[in-house]
Amino acid sequence: MGSGMKVHQFSRGLWEHEPSLTLGCCKNTSLLLRPLAPKLPTADSVSTTAATATAAFDLKSFIRPESGPRKLGSSDHKTEATQVETHPGGTRWNPTQEQIGILEMLYRGGMRTPNAQQIEQITTQLGKYGKIEGKNVFYWFQNHKARERQKQKRNSILGLNNSPRASTASTITTISLDTRGQMEKEVEESPYKRKCRTWTFEGLEEEKRHCKEGGDKTLELFPLHPEGK
Amino acid sequence: MGSGMKVHQFSRGLWEHEPSLTLGCCKNTSLLLRPLAPKLPTADSVSTTAATATAAFDLKSFIRPESGPRKLGSSDHKTEATQVETHPGGTRWNPTQEQIGILEMLYRGGMRTPNAQQIEQITTQLGKYGKIEGKNVFYWFQNHKARERQKQKRNSILGLNNSPRASTASTITTISLDTRGQMEKEVEESPYKRKCRTWTFEGLEEEKRHCKEGGDKTLELFPLHPEGK
DNA sequence: GCAAATTAATGATTTATTCAAG
DNA sequence: CTTGAATAAATCATTAATTTGC
């Protein structure tokens, strides 16, 4: 199955990178602050770092917090952000027809992996038609691209066999709307590109057990960093 | 090559849940707004969506903005964010010894893929020792995990040959600090687990050409991906 | 001893694979 | 079965080590 092993080496060094404007949380404005770190060559950094860097930094709360002291009931942390409510009934994004339409239009227009700014704009626009987040847009493009590709691969393989029910799923006929120069090689996609997408974590995760039978809405909330950038 | 195909099914549904607080950007509180979209079953959504959803939403600016009217010189956009500079000399994160030490400690403690909250905390802590962002922490764990894995795979393959210098690379001896139930199977990792990490895009990218030979700092920030291809 | 050239490590992205919800 | 969501694998790209020539 995996017999491709193609190596793309060209198109090198032409991708620019975005410096990703560093939200204001990192409060080190002085640029040369790494006075520590004696930079010993070929240091194993095992015993040394363990001694130097531990500081005030209890790992217990980080590593698998379930095994540690369970601090669920205690409002010890800063549980003050009341951003409750969130997803009323569903865990995952349920796109509306308008949203899908716009996304497909963008895809057909040639967009493959939008960058952060584009995702932000798209999310803002699609937000008018229903709840959506940036990651939904991102994932949609990822998935759509991958599935279009494997659909085409399957069609190209099965198409030679010409089984009478293979490709009757969609059979879109009115594709040729205007098709200016945009369409180009819908097939034979270029497999590697180098983009930079700067993203930052913001919302905290929501595990929400399978919620098949649980009806209670005890949603506690956590401190996100509300200070934006 | 791809002959593994192992499916791990245990250790399921044991992750505690943080109910997530959805930043307030999505402003549709009324939950049932999809008046449009007649929801025709197995809709192709090609011609229909193109008609319904276009609205006020110029795709031209999204899809490969270079093919459209180039608006470089015009300061029409909000080119007011003088978030220049940021990375003084380097594009990518250059971890200090302390940061690496903490990260390795966390890794050895058992942390594999921290969630958003953990990443946020780690980033805050590591920020004391040098500039760092959340994505750096995330990437570090991804890369470290993957490379430890392939290192072990390589060792397990070569280890059977019993070359006398195979595993003398690190030979950490003082591993057993306290090691309560934490350590468990460092080898034979459980490769699939289901977590939720909600992340959102935040920083907009800004472009900065390679600056290898160009000494000028004319970093234009046009909204682009320079060419689709 | 230093600096350019080369190599090794590793940070950052993209693609492939997989799980699970509806 | 379709598809959103998440992770693992592959790989590009940049920085630090290391080597080499002077």
Side-chain angles (χ1 to χ4, degrees), chain B residues 100-225:
Chain B
I100 292 291
I102 294 178
L103 288 172
E104 282 182 351
M105 198 173 355
L106 290 171
Y107 186 88
R108 298 225 331 275
M111 182 175 281
R112 256 171 54 104
T113 64
N115 54 28
Q117 187 181 13
Q118 291 171 318
I119 285 181
E120 190 190 23
Q121 294 184 52
I122 295 169
T123 304
T124 302
Q125 286 294 331
L126 295 187
K128 298 175 180 174
Y129 302 105
K131 176 180 288 186
I132 193 172
E133 286 178 80
K135 67 172 189 176
N136 305 129
V137 175
F138 173 71
Y139 285 143
W140 188 90
F141 275 97
Q142 291 282 109
N143 284 319
H144 198 71
K145 177 176 35 171
R147 279 161 183 154
E148 283 295 317
R149 184 177 299 158
Q150 71 182 12
K151 186 186 298 180
Q152 275 186 352
K153 184 184 293 180
R154 190 164 47 226
N155 276 2
S156 70
I157 291 175
L158 296 182
L160 301 181
N161 278 344
N162 192 6
S163 74
R165 63 168 56 249
S167 63
T168 60
S170 55
T171 63
I172 306 165
T173 55
T174 61
I175 289 181
S176 60
L177 282 179
D178 53 353
T179 66
R180 57 196 76 250
Q182 311 284 17
M183 203 63 84
E184 59 185 326
K185 44 185 77 62
E186 187 83 5
V187 198
E188 187 70 20
E189 195 66 65
S190 75
Y192 244 83
K193 226 175 277 187
R194 204 43 61 181
K195 286 283 194 48
C196 286
R197 176 180 305 107
T198 67
W199 45 275
T200 59
F201 296 91
E202 178 166 323
L204 307 185
E205 61 188 357
E206 54 197 85
E207 227 42 62
K208 179 187 284 186
R209 74 187 69 190
H210 261 158
C211 80
K212 277 297 174 57
E213 78 279 9
D216 56 349
K217 296 186 181 304
T218 64
L219 35 85
E220 49 241 42
L221 43 146
F222 38 95
L224 59 103
H225 39 174

Side-chain angles (χ1 to χ4, degrees), chain A residues 135-176:
Chain A
K135 67 170 189 177
N136 306 128
V137 175
F138 173 69
Y139 282 140
W140 188 89
F141 274 97
Q142 293 282 108
N143 284 319
H144 198 70
K145 175 175 39 171
R147 275 153 188 159
E148 283 296 317
R149 183 177 300 160
Q150 70 182 12
K151 185 185 297 179
Q152 276 185 354
K153 184 184 295 180
R154 190 166 47 227
N155 275 1
S156 70
I157 291 175
L158 295 182
L160 302 180
N161 278 343
N162 192 5
S163 77
R165 64 166 52 250
S167 63
T168 59
S170 53
T171 62
I172 307 165
T173 55
T174 61
I175 289 181
S176 62

Side-chain angles (χ1 to χ4, degrees), chain A residues 30-75:
Chain A
S30 63
L31 298 177
L32 11 140
L33 80 156
R34 51 191 68 182
L36 307 178
K39 186 61 73 63
L40 46 148
T42 71
D44 285 341
S45 74
V46 170
S47 60
T48 51
T49 57
T52 57
T54 311
F57 185 65
D58 55 342
L59 309 182
K60 297 299 182 301
S61 63
F62 280 164
I63 306 172
R64 61 185 68 202
E66 56 167 0
S67 72
R70 197 72 65 91
K71 58 179 65 175
L72 283 200
S74 70
S75 63

Side-chain angles (χ1 to χ4, degrees), chain A residues 21-26 200 202 224-229, chain B residues 83 202-203:
Chain A
L21 51 108
T22 64
L23 45 152
C25 72
C26 298
T200 59
E202 179 165 322
L224 57 137
H225 43 172
E227 81 273 25
K229 16 318 198 179
Chain B
Q83 274 291 2
E202 178 166 323

Side-chain angles (χ1 to χ4, degrees), chain B residues 40-90:
Chain B
L40 44 150
T42 71
D44 289 340
S45 74
V46 170
S47 61
T48 51
T49 56
T52 57
T54 310
F57 185 63
D58 55 342
L59 309 184
K60 297 301 184 300
S61 62
F62 281 163
I63 307 171
R64 62 185 70 202
E66 57 161 358
S67 71
R70 196 75 63 90
K71 58 179 65 175
L72 283 201
S74 70
S75 64
D76 196 8
H77 269 302
K78 49 179 74 65
T79 59
E80 41 87 11
T82 54
Q83 274 291 2
V84 199
E85 178 265 328
T86 60
H87 312 277

